[in-house]
Amino acid sequence: MKIVVCVKQVPDTKGGVKFNPDGTLDRAAMLTIMNPDDKAGLEAALRLKDKYDAEVTVLTMGLPKADEVLREAIAMGADHGILVTDRVLGGADTWATSTTIAGAIRNLEYDLIITGRQAIDGDTAQVGPQIAEHLGLPVISYAQDIKIEGDSVVVQRQYEDRYHELKVKMPCLITALSELNEPRYMTPGGIFDAYEKEVTVWGRADLKDVDDSNLGLKGSPTKIAKASDKVRKGAGEKVTLDAEEAVAYLMGKFKEKHVI
Amino acid sequence: MGLEEYKGVFVFAQQVDNVLDGVAFELLGKARDLAKDLSTEVTAVLIGSDIKGLADQLAEYGADKVIVVDDPELKEYRTEPYAHALASVINEYKPEIMLVGATAIGRDLGPTVSARVATGLTADCTVLEIGDFPINPVPNQEQKHNQLLMTRPAFGGNTIATIACPDNRPQMATVRPGVMQKIAPIKDAKANVIEFNPGFTPNNRYVEILNIVKAVKNTANIMDAKILVSGGRGVGSKENFKLLDELAEVLGGTVSCSRAVVENGWQPVDLQVGQTGKTVRPQIYFAIGISGAIQHVAGMEDSDLIVAINKDEDAPIFDVADYGLVGDLNKIVPALTKALKEEMNKI
């Protein structure tokens, strides 16, 4: 069985968030990580590798620096890493991104493609289903459990108030929720491998059956009209008092505001 | 593609088990505003099996027309027959705007359909309006009028981007439940129904549903609550949430929580507020033992009044709180419950 896992390198917004004095995010001070949903997708693939000896290829699109997440994936146990990077691919929206990744995946053999549900920087949840659409594959989004049955996958697909247990013949694409599992750590042997192994680097010319008009900023149907750092309403009052005084203070405020 | 051929504002009217989702009505409310600015009509797209009876409700909430795609293949939501249904409606009726709820269904259907009809899709919009693109004239670039301008938070709510889709139609957007306002229902409105069936032939992309497991619903809908008493990791244990239950009870409020609480198994996921949970805007939001990660803040910062209680005076939650109490929640919360109880008894 061959599995392709799509991952994204994202700024770490959890925990190490840094703000500028004006309340905006200080991006330069933040670290990058493998997107959490993608890491859960990778872990799911590695468990299938453990069980069925599947071959796991990790693919990312990004700046040359995104090589780091591929090395991390290899250190966790992935077999191959492919970095899709090219200046002409920059500024892509989800349509152009999914077109690019589909163009890269067309070069590969696969039974299963796993992506994260959504990335924590964009939060769109669009790229996975759109890759499936470009490749003509069935898609199962929001997977909270993945099993293999013969030539099919059986997946628990999460909704707000229920889940559906779905079965479909491979090849197919699954988008993973971070609730799916607890990703493993890198192993010392894996870390050694990660720096021994060659990561394959592909550019525009390596994408299969993709038209230039669907790539990068120019090939993106959605255009940014305006972007700004969100201006928060700002902090109100903060007091440090013992419990009784704190309650008296708050009750006073509630009365002032006619809350009670 | 002749963009001018595309007319009208369409709304995907999500139903599950033949009950319309509230987000359908909310989107119709916004669609009416947009349609007014464009001097056009609002059309709801109702997809399912045996669902014609729901059409009048859509008229009550502002749909001028209802396109009904009714087929036994559409009984339960599955990506493929639904994507085929909606993409076929778009190809046949050519809407200029297509709105979809950002639900677990819409966030699967929307991207699949947008890729199929080769247009852009903007996720989780918080503001939708009609305007010019570019917003201000730019030399050597045509300024297009009557464009859908879609505003959304990104980066865990820390940046706001306004996005247009000037060269492709329809202009597609998803909107989270609870963001737009529905109109007061128009009594006894009757739907102008158009039936449409593009034909459904199962192929490799039709998944098989083996089982449907519904969660036992014993939790309140936190999106409807006027007062939310929300707990985070700092509450310390599942048992200790009783302090919050008691406070919520005195206030007639509802308990909600942060992601960490769900991950620890202290509360069910339906009570989770934040980027991966629900967006709430109650009249009062108590953030108790919640540090205020931006993913959490993104889901509650539009609350009318925010009270934060946390022992860490540097917790980022204090940056968005109207009133911040630095101290031990185990002492402050019971004392507050007691004081409120006494106050209520006075009245």
Side-chain angles (χ1 to χ4, degrees):
Chain A
M1 188 163 72
K2 291 188 158 72
I3 306 175
V4 176
V5 182
C6 301
V7 301
K8 184 179 186 185
Q9 187 177 47
V10 293
D12 185 5
T13 54
K14 201 178 175 183
V17 181
K18 301 273 190 299
F19 290 95
N20 292 314
D22 62 357
T24 60
L25 207 64
D26 183 359
R27 290 157 197 253
M30 289 168 61
L31 301 170
T32 58
I33 53 167
M34 189 188 305
N35 181 54
D37 282 354
D38 304 351
K39 203 167 184 177
L42 172 61
E43 175 62 31
L46 294 174
R47 289 183 190 185
L48 296 175
K49 179 181 172 175
D50 295 342
K51 206 165 171 185
Y52 304 102
D53 203 25
E55 190 179 324
V56 177
T57 300
V58 184
L59 186 144
T60 193
M61 167 182 169
L63 299 170
K65 175 179 156 52
D67 169 86
E68 293 163 5
V69 284
L70 298 176
R71 305 269 176 205
E72 182 182 351
I74 291 168
M76 285 169 67
D79 299 293
H80 313 285
I82 300 172
L83 170 65
V84 181
T85 187
D86 199 314
R87 275 184 180 209
V88 299
L89 304 176
D93 72 354
T94 63
W95 161 271
T97 301
S98 58
T99 303
T100 302
I101 294 172
I105 292 177
R106 284 193 192 98
N107 293 313
L108 303 170
E109 284 177 31
Y110 56 84
D111 301 290
L112 190 57
I113 301 171
I114 304 179
T115 71
R117 169 195 45 179
Q118 67 189 42
I120 58 172
D121 52 354
D123 284 313
T124 71
Q126 287 172 196
V127 172
Q130 290 181 334
I131 294 170
E133 182 63 28
H134 294 311
L135 295 173
L137 297 174
V139 58
I140 299 178
S141 306
Y142 287 62
Q144 57 179 21
D145 185 62
I146 303 172
K147 285 192 185 72
I148 303 293
E149 273 185 21
D151 58 358
S152 298
V153 286
V154 174
V155 177
Q156 286 182 10
R157 196 286 194 203
Q158 189 189 78
Y159 292 95
E160 286 86 354
D161 64 344
R162 65 190 66 196
Y163 69 84
H164 287 182
E165 191 174 38
L166 302 176
K167 184 174 181 181
V168 74
K169 245 186 164 169
M170 293 184 277
C172 69
L173 186 145
I174 295 171
T175 82
L177 297 175
S178 48
E179 294 98 297
L180 187 63
N181 52 45
E182 193 66 46
R184 66 193 65 189
Y185 293 104
M186 296 181 276
T187 63
I191 294 168
F192 187 75
D193 278 356
Y195 288 91
E196 288 288 292
K197 270 204 177 135
E198 287 274 326
V199 161
T200 306
V201 180
W202 283 346
R204 163 66 187 102
D206 299 300
L207 304 178
K208 201 168 164 187
D209 299 336
V210 173
D211 199 278
D212 277 335
S213 65
N214 289 318
L215 295 175
L217 185 63
K218 281 202 168 140
S220 296
T222 59
K223 312 278 182 200
I224 294 180
K226 190 171 71 180
S228 54
D229 283 335
K230 179 158 185 171
V231 181
R232 294 229 131 82
K233 70 174 183 185
E237 301 174 19
K238 181 162 72 175
V239 297
T240 307
L241 299 166
D242 72 37
E244 295 302 325
E245 288 168 354
V247 167
Y249 159 81
L250 194 57
M251 292 295 285
K253 292 295 176 189
F254 280 172
K255 281 179 191 165
E256 214 175 275
K257 292 265 177 190
H258 305 288
V259 171
I260 50 171
Chain B
M1 176 161 46
L3 297 189
E4 63 291 340
E5 279 178 52
Y6 288 78
K7 296 268 182 250
V9 181
F10 281 33
V11 168
F12 169 64
Q14 179 179 323
Q15 59 78 29
V16 176
D17 296 341
N18 290 21
V19 176
L20 285 163
D21 194 293
V23 74
F25 304 134
E26 294 164 14
L27 292 179
L28 286 171
K30 176 44 74 177
R32 275 171 68 99
D33 296 344
L34 300 173
K36 202 173 152 203
D37 288 351
L38 294 167
S39 310
T40 186
E41 289 186 319
V42 174
T43 302
V45 182
L46 180 57
I47 299 174
S49 173
D50 219 5
I51 32 100
K52 277 169 224 160
L54 303 175
D56 287 343
Q57 278 185 60
L58 295 167
E60 287 176 18
Y61 283 95
D64 298 308
K65 288 181 187 152
V66 181
I67 296 172
V68 176
V69 187
D70 197 317
D71 193 283
E73 285 287 351
L74 302 166
K75 187 169 180 342
E76 301 292 342
Y77 176 76
R78 285 177 297 161
T79 312
E80 186 44 42
Y82 270 70
H84 177 57
L86 188 58
S88 300
V89 166
I90 290 171
N91 290 331
E92 180 72 22
Y93 296 96
K94 300 190 167 33
E96 57 191 307
I97 293 172
M98 178 82 238
L99 306 180
V100 178
T103 59
I105 286 176
R107 299 177 99 228
D108 180 62
L109 181 64
T112 303
V113 168
S114 70
R116 191 162 301 180
V117 303
T119 192
L121 171 63
T122 305
D124 297 356
C125 299
T126 50
V127 178
L128 296 173
E129 57 202 339
I130 302 299
D132 297 334
F133 178 80
I135 293 172
N136 300 308
V138 174
N140 304 319
Q141 189 183 344
E142 181 199 353
Q143 188 181 34
K144 295 190 169 190
H145 307 299
N146 290 332
Q147 302 296 304
L148 180 64
L149 300 181
M150 302 168 272
T151 299
R152 72 180 304 263
F155 220 130
N158 276 279
T159 63
I160 294 286
T162 301
I163 290 163
C165 181
D167 305 319
N168 296 68
R169 290 292 179 271
Q171 303 159 89
M172 286 184 69
T174 67
V175 179
R176 293 186 120 199
V179 173
M180 300 300 173
Q181 306 287 335
K182 56 189 165 199
I183 61 164
I186 307 160
K187 245 190 142 189
D188 302 321
K190 288 279 168 265
N192 175 4
V193 172
I194 302 161
E195 292 190 48
F196 176 73
N197 191 319
F200 295 90
T201 312
N203 59 23
N204 71 310
R205 304 186 64 183
Y206 279 58
V207 303
E208 183 189 347
I209 300 180
L210 301 178
N211 208 354
I212 294 175
V213 181
K214 294 182 189 177
V216 187
K217 255 277 192 260
N218 52 7
T219 52
N221 185 354
I222 59 171
M223 288 169 61
D224 294 336
K226 300 257 189 294
I227 297 175
L228 281 176
V229 178
S230 205
R233 196 191 303 272
V235 175
S237 68
K238 189 174 180 170
E239 293 67 36
N240 216 26
F241 262 85
K242 77 171 193 308
L243 299 178
L244 279 69
D245 289 335
E246 287 162 5
L247 176 57
E249 201 190 323
V250 176
L251 290 164
T254 301
V255 169
S256 58
C257 66
S258 71
R259 181 173 176 154
V261 166
V262 174
E263 282 172 354
N264 285 343
W266 299 345
Q267 294 290 349
V269 69
D270 342 8
L271 300 186
Q272 185 187 321
V273 172
Q275 194 79 18
T276 52
K278 291 182 172 136
T279 304
V280 297
R281 37 179 186 190
Q283 289 166 3
I284 312 179
Y285 187 90
F286 287 88
I288 300 174
I290 293 177
S291 64
I294 58 174
Q295 286 88 350
H296 184 79
V297 169
M300 49 62 78
E301 64 184 324
D302 292 329
S303 305
D304 294 343
L305 190 71
I306 298 170
V307 178
I309 303 172
N310 204 298
K311 66 175 193 295
D312 174 10
E313 64 173 328
D314 296 323
I317 193 72
F318 290 124
D319 296 338
V320 294
D322 296 282
Y323 304 119
L325 306 181
V326 182
D328 182 358
L329 67 91
N330 293 299
K331 290 189 181 128
I332 295 174
V333 175
L336 181 60
T337 304
K338 187 164 163 264
L340 283 164
K341 227 182 238 171
E342 284 166 7
E343 191 65 31
M344 301 287 177
N345 286 339
K346 268 194 230 164
I347 302 164

